[in-house]
Short mmCIF file of all heavy atoms in Angstrom, two decimals:
data_model
loop_
_atom_site.label_atom_id
_atom_site.label_comp_id
_atom_site.label_asym_id
_atom_site.label_seq_id
_atom_site.Cartn_x
_atom_site.Cartn_y
_atom_site.Cartn_z
N LEU A 16 3.37 -2.70 2.14
CA LEU A 16 4.56 -1.88 2.11
C LEU A 16 4.45 -0.60 1.20
O LEU A 16 5.38 0.14 1.13
CB LEU A 16 5.79 -2.69 1.70
CG LEU A 16 6.03 -3.85 2.74
CD1 LEU A 16 7.18 -4.70 2.19
CD2 LEU A 16 6.36 -3.35 4.07
N LYS A 17 3.33 -0.52 0.48
CA LYS A 17 3.14 0.62 -0.45
C LYS A 17 4.38 1.02 -1.28
O LYS A 17 4.89 2.13 -1.13
CB LYS A 17 2.58 1.79 0.30
CG LYS A 17 1.29 1.39 1.06
CD LYS A 17 0.65 2.49 1.74
CE LYS A 17 -0.64 2.08 2.46
NZ LYS A 17 -0.87 0.74 2.80
N PRO A 18 4.89 0.07 -2.02
CA PRO A 18 6.14 0.32 -2.74
C PRO A 18 5.99 1.35 -3.88
O PRO A 18 4.96 1.49 -4.44
CB PRO A 18 6.55 -1.05 -3.35
CG PRO A 18 5.20 -1.79 -3.47
CD PRO A 18 4.35 -1.29 -2.28
N THR A 19 7.12 2.07 -4.13
CA THR A 19 7.16 2.97 -5.30
C THR A 19 7.57 2.22 -6.55
O THR A 19 7.42 2.65 -7.65
CB THR A 19 8.09 4.16 -5.05
OG1 THR A 19 9.39 3.67 -4.64
CG2 THR A 19 7.54 5.00 -3.89
N HIS A 20 8.21 1.05 -6.33
CA HIS A 20 8.63 0.15 -7.40
C HIS A 20 8.47 -1.24 -6.83
O HIS A 20 8.89 -1.57 -5.72
CB HIS A 20 10.04 0.43 -7.79
CG HIS A 20 10.59 -0.66 -8.72
ND1 HIS A 20 10.31 -0.70 -10.07
CD2 HIS A 20 11.41 -1.72 -8.49
CE1 HIS A 20 10.92 -1.78 -10.58
NE2 HIS A 20 11.57 -2.35 -9.67
N LEU A 21 7.93 -2.14 -7.65
CA LEU A 21 7.80 -3.53 -7.27
C LEU A 21 7.83 -4.40 -8.53
O LEU A 21 7.10 -4.17 -9.48
CB LEU A 21 6.39 -3.81 -6.52
CG LEU A 21 6.12 -5.25 -6.16
CD1 LEU A 21 7.15 -5.80 -5.20
CD2 LEU A 21 4.74 -5.34 -5.56
N GLU A 22 8.76 -5.34 -8.43
CA GLU A 22 8.86 -6.33 -9.51
C GLU A 22 8.88 -7.71 -8.91
O GLU A 22 9.70 -8.06 -8.08
CB GLU A 22 10.08 -6.13 -10.36
CG GLU A 22 10.22 -6.99 -11.52
CD GLU A 22 11.42 -6.76 -12.37
OE1 GLU A 22 11.96 -5.62 -12.34
OE2 GLU A 22 11.89 -7.69 -13.06
N VAL A 23 7.89 -8.54 -9.28
CA VAL A 23 7.76 -9.95 -8.84
C VAL A 23 7.89 -10.87 -10.00
O VAL A 23 7.17 -10.70 -10.97
CB VAL A 23 6.49 -10.18 -8.04
CG1 VAL A 23 6.36 -11.61 -7.57
CG2 VAL A 23 6.31 -9.21 -6.88
N VAL A 24 8.80 -11.86 -9.92
CA VAL A 24 8.97 -12.78 -10.97
C VAL A 24 8.78 -14.22 -10.43
O VAL A 24 9.34 -14.58 -9.42
CB VAL A 24 10.41 -12.69 -11.58
CG1 VAL A 24 10.60 -13.76 -12.69
CG2 VAL A 24 10.62 -11.33 -12.14
N ASP A 25 7.83 -14.95 -11.08
CA ASP A 25 7.59 -16.26 -10.67
C ASP A 25 8.64 -17.19 -11.33
O ASP A 25 8.66 -17.32 -12.55
CB ASP A 25 6.16 -16.75 -11.15
CG ASP A 25 5.83 -18.20 -10.69
OD1 ASP A 25 6.70 -18.99 -10.34
OD2 ASP A 25 4.61 -18.52 -10.74
N THR A 26 9.58 -17.72 -10.54
CA THR A 26 10.71 -18.52 -11.05
C THR A 26 10.44 -19.99 -10.96
O THR A 26 11.33 -20.78 -11.17
CB THR A 26 12.00 -18.12 -10.31
OG1 THR A 26 11.79 -18.34 -8.91
CG2 THR A 26 12.40 -16.68 -10.57
N SER A 27 9.16 -20.31 -10.63
CA SER A 27 8.89 -21.76 -10.42
C SER A 27 8.26 -22.36 -11.66
O SER A 27 7.94 -23.57 -11.61
CB SER A 27 7.83 -21.87 -9.30
OG SER A 27 6.54 -21.27 -9.70
N GLY A 28 8.15 -21.65 -12.70
CA GLY A 28 7.52 -22.21 -13.95
C GLY A 28 6.01 -22.20 -13.86
O GLY A 28 5.32 -22.90 -14.60
N GLY A 29 5.45 -21.43 -12.96
CA GLY A 29 4.03 -21.27 -12.89
C GLY A 29 3.31 -21.96 -11.74
O GLY A 29 2.12 -21.78 -11.57
N CYS A 30 4.01 -22.73 -10.95
CA CYS A 30 3.33 -23.49 -9.87
C CYS A 30 3.26 -22.65 -8.50
O CYS A 30 2.63 -23.02 -7.62
CB CYS A 30 4.04 -24.80 -9.57
SG CYS A 30 5.68 -24.71 -8.80
N GLY A 31 3.88 -21.47 -8.59
CA GLY A 31 3.74 -20.55 -7.42
C GLY A 31 4.67 -20.99 -6.20
O GLY A 31 4.40 -20.56 -5.08
N ALA A 32 5.68 -21.73 -6.41
CA ALA A 32 6.53 -22.19 -5.32
C ALA A 32 7.78 -21.36 -5.13
O ALA A 32 8.45 -21.44 -4.11
CB ALA A 32 6.88 -23.61 -5.49
N SER A 33 8.12 -20.51 -6.09
CA SER A 33 9.39 -19.78 -6.04
C SER A 33 9.26 -18.44 -6.70
O SER A 33 8.78 -18.30 -7.89
CB SER A 33 10.46 -20.64 -6.78
OG SER A 33 11.74 -19.91 -6.81
N PHE A 34 9.69 -17.41 -6.01
CA PHE A 34 9.58 -16.00 -6.52
C PHE A 34 10.84 -15.20 -6.28
O PHE A 34 11.54 -15.44 -5.26
CB PHE A 34 8.40 -15.31 -5.88
CG PHE A 34 7.07 -15.81 -6.17
CD1 PHE A 34 6.48 -16.84 -5.36
CD2 PHE A 34 6.36 -15.50 -7.26
CE1 PHE A 34 5.28 -17.34 -5.72
CE2 PHE A 34 5.09 -15.96 -7.58
CZ PHE A 34 4.58 -16.95 -6.78
N GLU A 35 11.13 -14.27 -7.17
CA GLU A 35 12.08 -13.26 -6.98
C GLU A 35 11.41 -11.88 -6.82
O GLU A 35 10.45 -11.64 -7.59
CB GLU A 35 13.08 -13.15 -8.20
CG GLU A 35 14.00 -14.33 -8.36
CD GLU A 35 14.97 -14.19 -9.50
OE1 GLU A 35 14.80 -13.20 -10.30
OE2 GLU A 35 15.82 -15.04 -9.61
N VAL A 36 11.83 -11.07 -5.91
CA VAL A 36 11.21 -9.82 -5.62
C VAL A 36 12.24 -8.71 -5.64
O VAL A 36 13.33 -8.83 -5.08
CB VAL A 36 10.51 -9.88 -4.22
CG1 VAL A 36 9.98 -8.42 -3.81
CG2 VAL A 36 9.42 -10.86 -4.20
N GLU A 37 11.89 -7.62 -6.21
CA GLU A 37 12.67 -6.33 -6.22
C GLU A 37 11.65 -5.25 -5.75
O GLU A 37 10.60 -5.05 -6.32
CB GLU A 37 13.13 -6.02 -7.61
CG GLU A 37 14.10 -4.85 -7.71
CD GLU A 37 14.61 -4.72 -9.13
OE1 GLU A 37 15.50 -5.49 -9.56
OE2 GLU A 37 14.07 -3.81 -9.87
N ILE A 38 11.92 -4.63 -4.65
CA ILE A 38 10.99 -3.72 -4.02
C ILE A 38 11.68 -2.48 -3.48
O ILE A 38 12.71 -2.50 -2.94
CB ILE A 38 10.18 -4.46 -2.87
CG1 ILE A 38 9.10 -3.55 -2.28
CG2 ILE A 38 11.09 -5.01 -1.79
CD1 ILE A 38 8.05 -4.27 -1.46
N VAL A 39 10.92 -1.38 -3.67
CA VAL A 39 11.43 -0.03 -3.19
C VAL A 39 10.29 0.54 -2.43
O VAL A 39 9.14 0.67 -2.87
CB VAL A 39 11.77 0.88 -4.37
CG1 VAL A 39 12.19 2.27 -3.84
CG2 VAL A 39 12.82 0.31 -5.28
N SER A 40 10.54 0.85 -1.08
CA SER A 40 9.50 1.38 -0.27
C SER A 40 10.05 2.39 0.77
O SER A 40 11.23 2.23 1.29
CB SER A 40 8.87 0.19 0.51
OG SER A 40 7.97 0.71 1.51
N GLU A 41 9.27 3.43 1.07
CA GLU A 41 9.69 4.40 2.08
C GLU A 41 9.74 3.76 3.46
O GLU A 41 10.43 4.23 4.34
CB GLU A 41 8.67 5.58 2.08
CG GLU A 41 8.83 6.46 0.87
CD GLU A 41 7.80 7.65 0.89
OE1 GLU A 41 7.19 7.83 1.91
OE2 GLU A 41 7.79 8.35 -0.09
N GLN A 42 9.01 2.68 3.68
CA GLN A 42 8.98 1.94 4.92
C GLN A 42 10.39 1.28 5.26
O GLN A 42 10.62 0.95 6.39
CB GLN A 42 7.94 0.90 4.96
CG GLN A 42 6.57 1.51 4.96
CD GLN A 42 5.42 0.52 5.17
OE1 GLN A 42 5.57 -0.42 5.92
NE2 GLN A 42 4.34 0.69 4.53
N PHE A 43 11.30 1.27 4.33
CA PHE A 43 12.58 0.72 4.52
C PHE A 43 13.60 1.85 5.02
O PHE A 43 14.67 1.42 5.43
CB PHE A 43 13.22 0.17 3.25
CG PHE A 43 12.45 -1.03 2.71
CD1 PHE A 43 12.46 -1.26 1.38
CD2 PHE A 43 11.77 -1.91 3.52
CE1 PHE A 43 11.81 -2.43 0.82
CE2 PHE A 43 11.07 -2.99 3.03
CZ PHE A 43 11.12 -3.29 1.68
N GLU A 44 13.18 3.05 5.11
CA GLU A 44 14.02 4.18 5.60
C GLU A 44 14.48 3.83 7.03
O GLU A 44 13.73 3.50 7.87
CB GLU A 44 13.23 5.51 5.61
CG GLU A 44 12.91 6.01 4.22
CD GLU A 44 14.07 6.62 3.48
OE1 GLU A 44 15.21 6.80 4.04
OE2 GLU A 44 13.87 6.89 2.23
N GLY A 45 15.77 4.00 7.24
CA GLY A 45 16.41 3.82 8.51
C GLY A 45 16.50 2.37 8.98
O GLY A 45 16.86 2.10 10.12
N LYS A 46 16.24 1.39 8.07
CA LYS A 46 16.28 -0.01 8.43
C LYS A 46 17.45 -0.68 7.70
O LYS A 46 17.72 -0.37 6.57
CB LYS A 46 14.99 -0.70 8.11
CG LYS A 46 13.78 -0.16 8.99
CD LYS A 46 12.56 -0.97 8.74
CE LYS A 46 11.48 -0.54 9.68
NZ LYS A 46 11.22 0.82 9.88
N ARG A 47 18.08 -1.62 8.46
CA ARG A 47 19.16 -2.40 7.83
C ARG A 47 18.49 -3.40 6.89
O ARG A 47 17.32 -3.67 6.92
CB ARG A 47 19.95 -3.12 8.88
CG ARG A 47 20.69 -2.12 9.84
CD ARG A 47 21.60 -2.89 10.84
NE ARG A 47 21.10 -4.13 11.28
CZ ARG A 47 20.55 -4.34 12.52
NH1 ARG A 47 20.58 -3.34 13.40
NH2 ARG A 47 20.12 -5.52 12.87
N LEU A 48 19.32 -4.04 6.02
CA LEU A 48 18.84 -4.97 5.03
C LEU A 48 18.09 -6.13 5.62
O LEU A 48 17.02 -6.50 5.14
CB LEU A 48 20.08 -5.49 4.25
CG LEU A 48 19.72 -6.42 3.05
CD1 LEU A 48 18.84 -5.75 2.05
CD2 LEU A 48 20.98 -6.92 2.38
N LEU A 49 18.59 -6.69 6.74
CA LEU A 49 17.90 -7.74 7.42
C LEU A 49 16.50 -7.41 7.83
O LEU A 49 15.52 -8.12 7.69
CB LEU A 49 18.73 -8.31 8.57
CG LEU A 49 18.10 -9.48 9.35
CD1 LEU A 49 17.89 -10.67 8.45
CD2 LEU A 49 19.05 -9.82 10.53
N GLU A 50 16.37 -6.17 8.41
CA GLU A 50 15.09 -5.68 8.81
C GLU A 50 14.13 -5.49 7.64
O GLU A 50 12.95 -5.77 7.76
CB GLU A 50 15.21 -4.35 9.58
CG GLU A 50 15.97 -4.41 10.89
CD GLU A 50 16.33 -3.09 11.50
OE1 GLU A 50 16.99 -2.30 10.76
OE2 GLU A 50 15.96 -2.85 12.65
N ARG A 51 14.62 -5.03 6.53
CA ARG A 51 13.90 -4.87 5.34
C ARG A 51 13.31 -6.23 4.84
O ARG A 51 12.15 -6.34 4.44
CB ARG A 51 14.63 -4.17 4.21
CG ARG A 51 15.08 -2.78 4.58
CD ARG A 51 16.04 -2.19 3.57
NE ARG A 51 16.54 -0.92 3.97
CZ ARG A 51 17.25 -0.10 3.22
NH1 ARG A 51 17.52 -0.46 1.92
NH2 ARG A 51 17.64 1.03 3.67
N HIS A 52 14.14 -7.25 4.85
CA HIS A 52 13.78 -8.57 4.40
C HIS A 52 12.74 -9.10 5.38
O HIS A 52 11.77 -9.75 4.90
CB HIS A 52 15.00 -9.53 4.34
CG HIS A 52 15.87 -9.24 3.17
ND1 HIS A 52 16.40 -10.30 2.43
CD2 HIS A 52 16.23 -8.11 2.50
CE1 HIS A 52 17.12 -9.78 1.44
NE2 HIS A 52 17.01 -8.49 1.43
N ARG A 53 12.87 -8.86 6.63
CA ARG A 53 11.88 -9.32 7.62
C ARG A 53 10.55 -8.66 7.32
O ARG A 53 9.51 -9.33 7.43
CB ARG A 53 12.34 -9.05 9.02
CG ARG A 53 13.43 -9.95 9.47
CD ARG A 53 13.84 -9.71 10.89
NE ARG A 53 14.80 -10.68 11.37
CZ ARG A 53 15.77 -10.41 12.25
NH1 ARG A 53 15.82 -9.26 12.82
NH2 ARG A 53 16.62 -11.37 12.56
N LEU A 54 10.48 -7.40 7.00
CA LEU A 54 9.25 -6.72 6.65
C LEU A 54 8.57 -7.42 5.44
O LEU A 54 7.35 -7.62 5.45
CB LEU A 54 9.48 -5.25 6.26
CG LEU A 54 9.75 -4.29 7.44
CD1 LEU A 54 10.14 -2.89 6.94
CD2 LEU A 54 8.48 -4.21 8.30
#
């Protein structure tokens, strides 16, 4: 997605089972939130 901003937080305590993502990308232009999440 070539983001201009990306923040990934492992919320699983290190086992890699749960993550939070904050992402900013030009590829989201013209897309609804659901479409962005699908990407």
Side-chain angles (χ1 to χ4, degrees):
L16 300 175
K17 301 185 181 20
T19 56
H20 169 79
L21 176 62
E22 185 176 336
V23 178
V24 178
D25 183 342
T26 57
S27 67
C30 72
S33 179
F34 294 92
E35 288 183 355
V36 174
E37 186 175 283
I38 184 167
V39 179
S40 174
E41 289 182 7
Q42 292 187 35
F43 295 151
E44 292 287 349
K46 295 186 173 45
R47 296 186 323 255
L48 184 60
L49 181 60
E50 293 171 303
R51 296 172 186 191
H52 283 221
R53 285 183 178 149
L54 283 172

